[in-house]
Amino acid sequence: MWLDSWFVSQLGSTCSYATLGATNNLLHFIIKIAESISVGTVIMSGQYNGMGAYNKVGKTVNDTFWITGILGLIISSLMYFFSYDIYRWYGVSEDIIGLGIPFLRLRAMSIFFMFIYFALMGFLRGVKNTKAPMYIFMIGSLVFIVADYVLIFGVFGFPRMELLGSAVASLVQYVVMSTGAIFYIWRNKEYHKYGINLMQGVTDLGYMKRLMVLSWPVMIDKATMAWAYIWLCKMINPMGTKTVAAFCVVKDIERFAFLPAIAFAQVITFLVS
């Protein structure tokens, strides 16, 4: 996120930087919803795996895959078709709206793949495999950084897309990470015992209900914190584009400071489950 912001800042456009930061507040809110479902998957997969109920682990993965996929598709569609209304409610300037609508629509396409990715990471972490998610994320991050730089500035023969290059790079990143996660789980013989069949569809509504029961308190916790950034930015927007851009810089620094505490809290979730 920092590198992405830095690349965009090198364009010399405060409006582009403010558009990126304001839109990232919205996307951060969506990411927290996806993360909360992933936490529910971690708990369910970990409990069934500890019991030796491997078939139930597989059903959890199948159902979570489809639930998150459908939810991601709905949210992506809403963001794509109502992007103008979202920015109008946000209260940003017309300049930001003009830059933001095509940017948000491209980012909306990556939301679907992001939900799939988080669901699969929940399974891997639930069965106490934390290294594979790390490697998959490292590969995805490297792909994003390279694609982000190449597409924003238009080097190596690629078109100069500026702010839109960041959105395309994010789409490429989540396609790579979700595809990589599916391929890893499918090829790993250790996971054959779970009977995972992602083409099977939803197997049991009971798993869906339990997943939602486990996830919604976490969702409220995470989403409320993320929503605070959106509301604060909405209050700041009338102060002008430069103020919005300054707020986005401070926000990114603050989020970075939270990461160690969030990481340790997640490790505790793995161990207890």
Side-chain angles (χ1 to χ4, degrees):
M1 185 180 291
W2 275 12
L3 281 172
D4 185 37
S5 298
W6 185 73
F7 290 157
V8 172
S9 73
Q10 299 307 299
L11 297 173
S13 170
T14 304
C15 188
S16 294
Y17 189 91
T19 302
L20 176 69
T23 306
N24 278 344
N25 287 331
L26 297 170
L27 297 170
H28 180 65
F29 176 74
I30 303 301
I31 288 171
K32 290 304 172 183
I33 294 176
E35 283 183 356
S36 65
I37 298 176
S38 180
V39 170
T41 309
V42 169
I43 296 170
M44 288 182 65
S45 298
Q47 286 178 339
Y48 290 137
N49 190 59
M51 293 164 57
Y54 301 133
N55 185 52
K56 290 185 177 181
V57 176
K59 287 183 177 181
T60 299
V61 177
N62 292 340
D63 291 355
T64 304
F65 177 84
W66 283 97
I67 293 167
T68 55
I70 293 170
L71 182 59
L73 185 61
I74 292 171
I75 293 176
S76 296
S77 301
L78 290 174
M79 290 176 64
Y80 186 91
F81 292 109
F82 293 97
S83 54
Y84 176 77
D85 301 280
I86 291 171
Y87 281 113
R88 289 297 298 172
W89 173 85
Y90 214 5
V92 295
S93 66
E94 291 296 329
D95 291 337
I96 291 180
I97 292 176
L99 286 172
I101 288 175
F103 177 76
L104 182 59
R105 285 178 172 173
L106 281 171
R107 285 302 307 267
M109 296 179 186
S110 67
I111 294 297
F112 170 77
F113 296 99
M114 182 189 74
F115 270 75
I116 296 297
Y117 164 75
F118 276 115
L120 297 174
M121 292 304 101
F123 158 68
L124 289 174
R125 288 167 176 155
V127 296
K128 307 304 176 282
N129 183 346
T130 56
K131 289 186 178 179
M134 178 186 69
Y135 293 136
I136 292 170
F137 184 76
M138 287 172 64
I139 293 170
S141 297
L142 182 62
V143 168
F144 172 77
I145 292 169
V146 173
D148 200 38
Y149 178 81
V150 167
L151 295 175
I152 287 176
F153 299 111
V155 297
F156 306 125
F158 285 86
R160 181 182 172 92
M161 301 181 70
E162 299 190 348
L163 182 61
L164 294 182
S166 171
V168 175
S170 180
L171 175 59
V172 172
Q173 176 192 17
Y174 280 108
V175 168
V176 168
M177 291 197 301
S178 58
T179 304
I182 292 173
F183 183 76
Y184 174 80
I185 293 171
W186 176 61
R187 288 296 302 272
N188 196 324
K189 294 181 180 179
E190 182 182 349
Y191 299 143
H192 289 179
K193 63 185 178 184
Y194 298 118
I196 299 171
N197 182 7
L198 298 180
M199 301 308 296
Q200 188 175 3
V202 177
T203 58
D204 189 340
L205 294 178
Y207 287 90
M208 183 188 302
K209 181 180 178 181
R210 183 148 190 262
L211 178 65
M212 291 297 103
V213 168
L214 287 170
S215 299
W216 75 262
V218 183
M219 189 180 299
I220 291 174
D221 179 31
K222 289 178 174 288
T224 301
M225 194 70 178
W227 181 260
Y229 286 112
I230 296 175
W231 188 253
L232 184 56
C233 192
K234 179 177 170 60
M235 298 297 100
I236 290 174
N237 283 332
M239 300 180 190
T241 302
K242 290 183 179 180
T243 308
V244 174
F247 165 70
C248 293
V249 174
V250 177
K251 170 204 66 183
D252 288 344
I253 295 172
E254 182 185 48
R255 285 182 187 167
F256 183 80
F258 285 155
L259 289 180
I262 294 171
F264 279 118
Q266 200 164 39
V267 170
I268 293 171
T269 303
F270 302 156
L271 294 175
V272 173
S273 70

